[in-house]
Structure formats: C-alpha cells, structure tokens
Amino acid sequence: MSTAAPAHILLLPGDGIGPEVVAETTKIIDWFSKNRGKTFTTSSALVGGSAYDETGNPLPPETLEAAHKADAILLGAVGGTKWESLDYSVRPERGLLGLRKELQLFANLRPAICFPALAKASTLKPEVVAGLDIMIIRELTGDIYFGTPRGVETLPDGTRRGINTMVYTTPEVHRIARVAFDLAGKRNGRVCSVDKANVLESTEMWREEVQKIGDTEYPNIALSHMYVDNAAMQLVRNPRQFDVMVTGNIFGDILSDCAAMLTGSLGMLPSASLGAKDANGKIPALYEPVHGSAPDIAGKGVANPIATILSFAMMLRYSFGRGACADLLETAVTEVLESGIRTADIVEEGSRKVGTAEMGAAIIARLQALAAQDQSLKTGS
Ligand code: NAD
C-alpha cells in the first residue's frame, strides 16, 4: 500500500538496446511501486533516432514538455549506424544534448562501483578494486568547453594559433560544490575537490570557492583538495580512498572515464545528470546508463540491463530520497552477480549466461526474497 505521494517517471527508451534495458528496468520500477510504499507512475516518449524516424525531430516538443513535467527521467540510449549520415542538427545525439541543455543539467554524477563478484573483470588487481564505491561529480555546462575566446587563427607569419579559454564563475562553482557536499552527506561524508590550482588561476579560484562553501555551509563534511595529475594517479593506485570527487568539466571528463573503467564492464555503469532546484524544490534529473545504444547486439535480447537498473537505484536515492530502497536494489544486483548469473558481457568460467529478460527476472526474484527475509523493510525508507 502506498504511503507517500506518487511520483512520475518519464521513460525515454531511445534506440538500439535502449528499449530492451528500459523494459527490464520498468518491471523493477513496478516492483518497487507495488512493494515499497511509494507509487511510481510511468509514461514513455520518443527521443533520438526513433523520434527522428517518427517526427523528423530527435527531441520532439511533446517529449520536452513531458520531461519538464516529470519528477525524474530514465533514458536508455540514443544513436546508431542508421542515422549516422543525417545532418548534425537532427542526429539522435542532439536529442540527448538538447534535453541536457533545456533542463540545465549542470551536474553529472558517475559512480564507480566494483561489485566484488566482478573484481576479476577489472584491469587492476582485484584487491585494489573489490568493493570500490566512489562518486565522481563533473560540472557539465562550463569550463574550457564553453569559454571564450575560442577558435583557431592564422598569424601574420602563416603559423596558426589555437585558443580555448578555461573559465568558471563563483555561482557555477558554488552550485556544483553544493551538489558534492549534499551527496557526501548521503554517503560517507567526504569530498575531494580536484583542480590544478598550482598552475591555473581559474582553478585556484575554484579551490578557494569550494573551501568557502565547505566552511560556511557544510562544516560536517570532510573536504580535501587534490591536483588533477595526482588524482589520476591515486585513482589507479588506491581508488578506495575516495568517497565523492568533484571537479570541472574537462578534468571530470577524463577522470570519470578513468574511474568507470576501474570497474570492468560498460554494461554495469549508471549515471545521473542533475539541474538546479526550482522554486517548488524540484531538481530536474535525468538518469541513464553510461553505455550507448550498442547496435551490434540490439534486438538480440542479450544486453546487460544492470547499468539502467542501477540508474534507477540512483533515482531512488537522489530524486526520491529512498536510500533504503536503493540499497535494497543494489543488494539484489550484488547477490544475483554472486550467484553466478551473468549476461554475455560479464560472463566468466563457471557462471551461467542469461539474456536481458532473464537478468531482469533474476533481480526481481532476489528483491522478492530479500523483502520476504526482512519484513521490516516492507515499510519503506
Ligand atoms: P556502446 O556503448 O553502444 O557500445 C560499445 C560496446 O559495448 C559494444 O560492443 C556493445 O555491444 C557493448 N555494450 C554496450 N552496452 C552494453 C550492455 N548494456 N550490455 C552488453 N554490452 C554492451 O558504444 P558505441 O558502439 O561507441 O556507440 C554506439 C552508438 O551509441 C553510437 O551511435 C553512439 O553515438 C551512441 N552512444 C550513445 C550514448 C548515449 O545515449 N548516452 C552514449 C555513448 C554512445
């Protein structure tokens, strides 16, 4: 029975394996809706190549309207070879970029979690990555990607000069810092801010402003600072030292991919992109797997749905404040992996290979068993 106000989730399955992995996640959403004291309603809309095929627009206005109204959005993936020759302005990826821009999603959250059962899949030693659980927060809308002046000019002597400008303003730094501190408060209470303050003035300012927000608004969160070169080294040397890492757009681009690969498989990695709180306290939020539409395996029923299912766990935790439900879902995934049930991308000797739907069903069966084991969980978080 539902004890909390219902929430609406907009599903954007997209292209390739997107609809397959979103379909399995929808069953998990329904399970939580029926069993955990909060009702989730869902509706679907078109995005990406499939939206282009139907409407000539990878982000139709009705999808955008539904995105603005939803409490949270779950996206599968966009893109594929079929649309590669289209003009850039109507390519499937424009649908996703358009959503990020329209909803002003400035904070990209990428957890790097290494399930002990998959520690062998990492290129690092299992004892370095087993049990890893870090969160990288990348600022998405500022920095050298957007700063001006930019471009390439030809000098009088015929040589060329390329220019990009690294720029941040204090409000941009403050808002991403607050996202990091808030998340650390829901995790292990530690933030490491990454910069290059020894060389770049804009990041020296970043460091000072993050410290200011930490001192004045989050005295209970332990804040440290690290230069980006050292952070890259520490991520592969001893990644478990980190809880939340926060950094600018370009450093985050590189560090989040590096951290993601610590965990071994693309089919396991969730993400979230968050915007600023509006007057009603709502934070626009888009949750999606890190992987793409995987055209090579689309339609075969073999894609790993776990990255999308874990994206829903992030939604439970960060959009709906249901940390206990997120823990329950992550435990179910962990136990299914430990039982040796694997999709093709993470299969290993001695494990049982299953398809997308079987993996979804195994996770639901585990949720059911966990809920039955602990009746007290039934009241929700
Ligand atoms: P990809 O992530 O789609 O696939 C890379 C490899 O990983 C492929 O071999 C694929 O089969 C495998 N893989 C990916 N997800 C998997 C899963 N859940 N289970 C099992 N195996 C999985 O990257 P790509 O091949 O470079 O790109 C394919 C298309 O996806 C392109 O059109 C690209 O633009 C698009 N793309 C979209 C997004 C997004 O929607 N956010 C992200 C990246 C790429």
Side-chain angles (χ1 to χ4, degrees):
M1 200 183 66
S2 180
T3 56
H8 187 72
I9 301 170
L10 177 67
L11 305 171
L12 300 176
D15 310 319
I17 62 168
E20 299 169 48
V21 293
V22 168
E24 289 317 306
T25 311
T26 308
K27 294 177 197 165
I28 306 261
I29 295 172
D30 289 344
W31 186 88
F32 275 90
S33 203
K34 290 197 185 95
N35 294 284
R36 309 309 304 151
K38 184 175 176 77
T39 303
F40 296 106
T41 55
T42 57
S43 60
S44 291
L46 292 167
V47 73
S50 50
Y52 174 80
D53 287 348
E54 287 265 326
T55 68
N57 183 347
L59 182 57
E62 46 281 20
T63 297
L64 193 54
E65 196 187 326
H68 277 295
K69 284 190 186 147
D71 293 305
I73 303 165
L74 184 75
L75 183 130
V78 297
T81 37
K82 183 179 171 194
W83 301 283
E84 269 168 14
S85 56
L86 286 179
D87 184 73
Y88 185 67
S89 62
V90 288
R91 292 273 282 271
E93 292 74 12
R94 299 303 301 170
L96 182 52
L97 295 176
L99 265 176
R100 288 183 182 150
K101 186 164 168 258
E102 291 293 331
L103 298 175
Q104 296 186 29
L105 304 173
F106 67 89
N108 184 230
L109 279 51
R110 285 238 212 142
I113 299 165
C114 184
F115 292 90
L118 296 184
K120 275 192 278 177
S122 172
T123 49
L124 295 192
K125 290 184 192 134
E127 62 267 30
V128 175
V129 291
L132 176 76
D133 179 3
I134 63 182
M135 175 73 79
I136 306 233
I137 300 176
R138 167 188 173 193
E139 202 288 331
L140 262 192
T141 55
D143 206 352
I144 197 162
Y145 295 148
F146 298 96
T148 52
R150 62 185 298 151
V152 179
E153 62 188 17
T154 302
L155 301 175
D157 67 359
T159 58
R160 296 200 302 158
R161 185 165 72 154
I163 307 160
N164 288 94
T165 305
M166 183 174 255
V167 54
Y168 269 116
T169 61
T170 50
E172 287 174 319
V173 179
H174 290 177
R175 69 180 184 175
I176 194 77
R178 289 190 182 104
V179 170
F181 287 119
D182 284 336
L183 283 187
K186 292 176 182 170
R187 292 170 48 98
N188 296 316
R190 289 183 290 120
V191 170
C192 176
S193 171
V194 176
D195 58 47
K196 190 73 183 166
N198 50 341
V199 182
L200 302 170
E201 287 85 349
S202 69
T203 76
E204 193 181 353
M205 182 278 282
W206 170 287
R207 180 178 287 221
E208 289 163 3
E209 295 299 325
V210 172
Q211 186 67 51
K212 205 183 286 175
I213 296 296
D215 290 345
T216 53
E217 298 177 27
Y218 299 89
N220 298 327
I221 303 290
L223 172 64
S224 61
H225 303 273
M226 197 176 271
Y227 297 137
V228 64
D229 42 347
N230 187 24
M233 191 176 77
Q234 295 300 330
L235 267 180
V236 290
R237 193 185 73 87
N238 176 20
R240 282 185 305 211
Q241 70 184 280
F242 298 110
D243 177 20
V244 173
M245 294 177 98
V246 61
T247 189
N249 207 342
I250 189 163
F251 297 157
D253 192 357
I254 299 161
L255 292 181
S256 63
D257 267 25
C258 173
M261 279 304 104
L262 299 173
T263 66
S265 172
L266 207 50
M268 297 291 303
L269 299 167
S271 79
S273 298
L274 309 179
K277 209 180 266 182
D278 69 14
N280 302 319
K282 187 176 120 184
I283 295 178
L286 172 78
Y287 298 83
E288 56 175 324
V290 167
H291 63 71
S293 57
D296 53 331
I297 56 167
K300 296 183 178 159
V302 298
N304 186 348
I306 293 179
T308 314
I309 289 169
L310 292 176
S311 299
F312 174 58
M314 290 185 78
M315 184 190 292
L316 284 167
R317 184 173 284 123
Y318 300 123
S319 279
F320 302 126
R322 303 234 129 201
C325 288
D327 289 346
L328 181 70
L329 181 49
E330 286 163 0
T331 303
V333 169
T334 305
E335 293 189 1
V336 166
L337 294 172
E338 277 165 3
S339 74
I341 295 174
R342 304 287 167 84
T343 43
D345 57 316
I346 51 173
V347 77
E348 54 186 24
E349 221 183 301
S351 62
R352 184 162 75 84
K353 189 160 95 175
V354 299
T356 313
E358 280 171 282
M359 179 55 93
I363 293 169
I364 290 183
R366 227 28 250 161
L367 283 169
Q368 205 66 43
L370 284 166
Q373 262 170 31
D374 187 350
Q375 286 295 319
S376 65
L377 284 173
K378 283 206 165 140
T379 53
S381 64

